[in-house]
Amino acid sequence: MSDSIDTHADVIIVGAGIAGLVAACELGDRGKRVILLDQEPAQFLGGQAHWSLGGLFMIDTPEQRRMGITDSHDLARRDWMGSAQFDRAGDDWPKQWARAYLDFAASEMRPWLHEMGMRWFPIVGWAERGGSGAEGHGNSVPRFHVTWGTGPGVVAPFATRLQAHVAAGRVICRFRHQVSHIIVQAGEVKGVSGEVLAADSAPQGAKTNRQEIGEFEVYAPSVIVASGGIGGNLDLVRKNWPRDRLGAPPENMVAGVPFHVDGRMIPIAEAAGGHVINGDRMWHYTEGLRNWDPIWPNHGIRILPGPSSMWFDALGNRLQAPCLPGFDTLATLKEILKTGYDYSWFVLSQKIIEKEFALSGSEQNPDLTSGKWLEVIRARLMSRGGAPAPVEAFKKHGQDFVVADTLAELVEGMNRIAEVPLEETHLRRQIEARDAQVDNPFAKDAQVIAINAARNYRGDRLIRTAKPHRILERKNGPLIAVRLNILTRKTLGGLQTNLDSQMVGADGTAVPGLFAVGEAAGFGGGGYHGYNALEGTFLGGCLFSGRQAGRSDLIA
Ligand SMILES: Cc1cc2nc3c(=O)[nH]c(=O)nc-3n(C[C@H](O)[C@H](O)[C@H](O)COP(=O)(O)OP(=O)(O)OC[C@H]3O[C@@H](n4cnc5c(N)ncnc54)[C@H](O)[C@@H]3O)c2cc1C
């Protein structure tokens, strides 16, 4: 090929997040020439994955077995299908992707990643427990494998592989290149065009400028869209909000993802023949804190709660099962919004915060992110009299936290940041009723039953679930209340694709030369989660769909 290596390649990838990186590495391994474009600067390599906790959904692993967990492909399939609740005519590709991912997660996934040097924290996390029946949503067993080194630990092996391909001249990276158009002529994909943005030395994850200083065009017969979802664009989130299922969208939300998760590339892909399905399926959390030390605009941090905090809606009414901490994200979101307010409350004791509060994100878990055992032991097992340092920092500086010695003082503090005042007597009655349930290892209260069940899992008993105790008893205090905001995160729908990650148009036929991977493709197929996610399946889907595209024979 005589065309300039700078402008002509076999494949163009739009987006240097984890999905784009995986595709680039796999293509590079096959000797393909790749141009990898990203609107952000080089220091943003890895996109959202850098900020992630690095949790991966895998099935029947040595980590699970060592923790006494019996998992199987069949159980995981039941859990996935019970959660996805696929019910649309257009769910054909998403369903095929779900099955293919389950096969991958139960077989090749771990050895492939292990071979690249990835390792996992030995205590497997139990996310999205469901709580509404064996055929409903949720993980029957713990499957959330936190990567050693968290998000950066997921990005690192691929960044290393990428570097080798760059050094060998197989992959060219172009940062600050914002794609605005996919060039299609006579039905054939020819390349992409867009604007070169001004250099920006912003720290990773911060908002960068959009000043255009030039234009560019690059050419290839195949283009892979790896541009992420829409969670950083709250207007788009509201526009796509499933009003029929969840009611009106929240007025106030915090952003759980950086500004670059802007959704801008999706209509550009549609204009070239792509087709978005399940745009109304999304995954936003109900335990968002306003970050006291923000990196990106309106930065929210999610609490990954253990099961013991009492959960009240804005009116002070306790949420009922399955709306328990860590059980059923979307059912809880629906219940919270039913009140007409877009926030809710955790009420807990110091004992609960010490053992059960974790925050999502690599920067909120410096011990796990460091990849050093000593750090982990110091932070998690030796921090007597306090929660891990990042949680304590939120307790101290976070505007959503109230700490008090008595319930009267607590409610007074809550009312200072509430939109609707709470009554102490109403809260007291509910907490006292719950407290009266904890003296036996059995109870009738659904949450107390769930706490006791959680402690049957060694991992939860060790680091995630406080011994049941009376929240109002002084010795367990001080009392803590946390105002929880809705936090945007994942886009479950996306560009429809077949199992080669090739886009499938509105008429159901494959679009030659156009591919989509990662969150842009709803993690595969245009929405392989269906309505609900089991967690760890976002990074998992990026790894899998990027690999499928990178290994596809359809990319010549
Ligand atoms: C705090 C946090 C914690 C998380 N924890 C977990 C977890 O533990 N487990 C899990 O499974 N998932 C987790 N996730 C979700 C997961 O990290 C993301 O879903 C995943 O990384 C998305 O990867 P991606 O490559 O599809 O997109 P992104 O990471 O969003 O990358 C897309 C890239 O495309 C670029 N781009 C977009 N449009 C254009 C354009 N027009 N031109 C050029 N470039 C463009 C963007 O700048 C960006 O770099 C977490 C996410 C966050 C933010």
Side-chain angles (χ1 to χ4, degrees), residues 387-460:
V391 175
E392 281 295 330
F394 263 91
K395 207 176 112 192
K396 191 164 162 203
H397 306 292
Q399 54 185 310
D400 299 309
F401 276 78
V402 183
V403 183
D405 285 329
T406 66
L407 187 62
E409 285 161 14
L410 191 79
V411 173
E412 213 178 291
M414 291 165 84
N415 283 341
R416 277 197 289 274
I417 54 173
E419 283 165 41
V420 53
L422 299 160
E423 276 177 27
E424 186 203 331
T425 46
H426 186 47
L427 280 193
R428 182 178 294 281
R429 185 181 50 73
Q430 297 172 86
I431 303 173
E432 280 177 353
R434 174 262 180 218
D435 277 0
Q437 295 275 308
V438 301
D439 296 340
N440 292 292
F442 39 85
K444 72 171 181 181
D445 183 85
Q447 185 170 13
V448 177
I449 293 170
I451 295 167
N452 288 326
R455 286 175 60 83
N456 282 330
Y457 167 47
R458 208 190 306 150
D460 267 9

Side-chain angles (χ1 to χ4, degrees), residues 15 18-19 38-39 48-49 52-53 55 177 179 226 228 256 519 536 538-539:
I18 190 67
D38 203 293
Q39 61 195 357
Q48 294 179 66
S52 76
L53 192 57
H177 280 55
V179 174
E519 196 162 347
F538 312 104
L539 289 171

Side-chain angles (χ1 to χ4, degrees), residues 14-20 37-40 46-49 51-55 144 177-179 226-228 256-257 260-262 264-265 360-361 489-490 518-519 523 536-540 542:
V14 185
I18 190 67
L37 303 169
D38 203 293
Q39 61 195 357
E40 297 300 346
Q48 294 179 66
W51 299 103
S52 76
L53 192 57
F144 192 72
H177 280 55
Q178 171 185 269
V179 174
S227 56
V257 296
H260 64 66
V261 190
D262 57 16
R264 185 175 164 277
M265 190 63 205
S360 183
R489 188 88 100 210
K490 284 116 181 178
E519 196 162 347
F523 303 99
T537 50
F538 312 104
L539 289 171
C542 288

Side-chain angles (χ1 to χ4, degrees), residues 4-320:
S4 157
I5 184 169
D6 278 356
T7 54
H8 290 71
D10 296 317
V11 193
I12 293 164
I13 301 175
V14 185
I18 190 67
L21 282 184
V22 174
C25 292
E26 295 290 320
L27 288 159
D29 285 358
R30 290 167 57 197
K32 303 292 174 199
R33 290 180 309 150
V34 179
I35 297 176
L36 177 60
L37 303 169
D38 203 293
Q39 61 195 357
E40 297 300 346
Q43 66 269 23
F44 281 51
L45 191 80
Q48 294 179 66
H50 170 84
W51 299 103
S52 76
L53 192 57
L56 299 180
F57 179 100
M58 296 192 282
I59 304 162
D60 191 19
T61 61
E63 287 75 19
Q64 286 175 303
R65 290 193 287 270
R66 278 195 288 266
M67 289 306 296
I69 300 160
T70 306
D71 197 7
S72 67
H73 184 288
D74 180 58
L75 186 65
R77 179 189 53 78
R78 287 172 187 279
D79 285 351
W80 193 296
M81 296 306 165
S83 302
Q85 294 160 29
F86 291 119
D87 63 356
R88 293 179 177 168
D91 277 336
D92 187 35
W93 284 116
K95 232 185 281 178
Q96 291 195 44
W97 269 91
R99 286 193 202 112
Y101 177 75
L102 287 163
D103 291 345
F104 176 62
S107 59
E108 283 178 79
M109 183 171 175
R110 188 181 177 283
W112 178 56
L113 298 173
H114 194 272
E115 172 81 24
M116 273 183 264
M118 280 170 64
R119 298 290 181 272
W120 296 275
F121 187 57
I123 300 177
V124 184
W126 194 358
E128 284 296 297
R129 300 173 191 210
S132 44
E135 288 186 302
H137 167 55
N139 281 302
S140 304
V141 296
R143 296 195 176 100
F144 192 72
H145 296 72
V146 175
T147 303
W148 200 231
T150 67
V154 177
V155 175
F158 296 98
T160 305
R161 284 173 66 189
L162 185 82
Q163 264 170 9
H165 290 312
V166 170
R170 286 184 291 270
V171 177
I172 291 177
C173 297
R174 291 276 174 269
F175 296 101
R176 300 304 278 161
H177 280 55
Q178 171 185 269
V179 174
S180 293
H181 186 58
I182 298 175
I183 307 164
V184 183
Q185 285 167 2
E188 276 185 40
V189 170
K190 297 289 181 188
V192 304
S193 64
E195 303 76 39
V196 180
L197 303 176
D200 202 311
S201 59
Q204 187 169 11
K207 185 177 177 180
T208 57
N209 76 69
R210 287 291 179 266
Q211 189 196 336
E212 296 171 12
I213 56 165
E215 293 180 345
F216 72 93
E217 278 192 16
V218 287
Y219 306 96
S222 296
V223 170
I224 300 177
V225 175
S227 56
I230 66 170
N233 183 336
L234 300 197
D235 292 336
L236 266 186
V237 169
R238 288 195 188 94
K239 191 170 156 220
N240 286 287
W241 194 261
R243 288 170 177 270
D244 54 333
R245 284 181 286 121
L246 296 179
E251 249 173 62
N252 305 298
M253 290 185 273
V254 288
V257 296
F259 180 72
H260 64 66
V261 190
D262 57 16
R264 185 175 164 277
M265 190 63 205
I266 305 294
I268 296 169
E270 283 190 293
H275 178 52
V276 170
I277 56 174
N278 301 315
D280 65 329
R281 290 179 180 165
M282 27 181 123
W283 194 245
H284 305 308
Y285 295 108
T286 47
E287 314 95 339
L289 302 173
R290 285 167 284 187
N291 192 351
W292 63 273
D293 189 15
I295 294 163
W296 55 77
N298 191 26
H299 189 169
I301 296 288
R302 183 192 175 206
I303 300 172
L304 297 169
S308 304
S309 298
M310 290 190 75
W311 207 336
F312 297 92
D313 66 22
L315 305 173
N317 297 315
R318 186 177 179 199
L319 299 181
Q320 300 300 317

